[in-house]
Amino acid sequence: MLVRARWENGTRILMLSGRFDKFGRVPVETALAAGEGRPCQRVVMDFSRVSSMDSAGIGRLLLLYHSLRRKAMALTVINPKPSVRALLDLAGLATIIPIMQEKPEVRSVA
């Protein structure tokens, strides 16, 4: 998995490419760690280039959600492919993690 990251108004945006599975943990954590020390209220994960996801990826996403929540940060997933969205829905993640097809409005909370 490849992860590119950028900042936008206090939000860390991660653009993921490839398969999101147990091996996706390291690149995601590395991208998040690179921004430590900067004010951040939200992490947005762009899944538009995620080709597939397995149960390990679901687990990793859930662990990330809880980790960010403990730091008072929100997590949003945007633009998953239909097959990935179906898996997220089947796992019930859409009930706790916002999943959107469009980029959410990103604004810093002052």
Side-chain angles (χ1 to χ4, degrees), residues 1-6 13-20 45-53 77-84 101:
M1 162 163 294
L2 176 66
V3 178
R4 290 182 297 134
R6 73 177 202 278
I13 300 173
L14 304 180
M15 291 141 307
L16 288 70
S17 299
R19 182 172 167 77
F20 192 33
M45 297 179 78
D46 186 340
F47 271 43
S48 60
R49 293 190 174 115
V50 172
S51 57
S52 62
M53 187 174 199
V77 172
I78 61 170
N79 302 321
K81 294 182 186 302
S83 60
V84 173
Q101 282 310 119

Side-chain angles (χ1 to χ4, degrees), residues 36-47:
E36 285 186 8
R38 288 183 74 171
C40 183
Q41 296 86 31
R42 180 180 310 142
V43 173
V44 174
M45 297 179 78
D46 186 340
F47 271 43

Side-chain angles (χ1 to χ4, degrees), residues 6-12 35-43 71-73 108-109:
R6 73 177 202 278
W7 286 98
E8 190 173 310
N9 299 325
T11 296
R12 188 72 166 155
E36 285 186 8
R38 288 183 74 171
C40 183
Q41 296 86 31
R42 180 180 310 142
V43 173
K71 297 175 185 176
M73 295 166 54
S108 120
V109 178

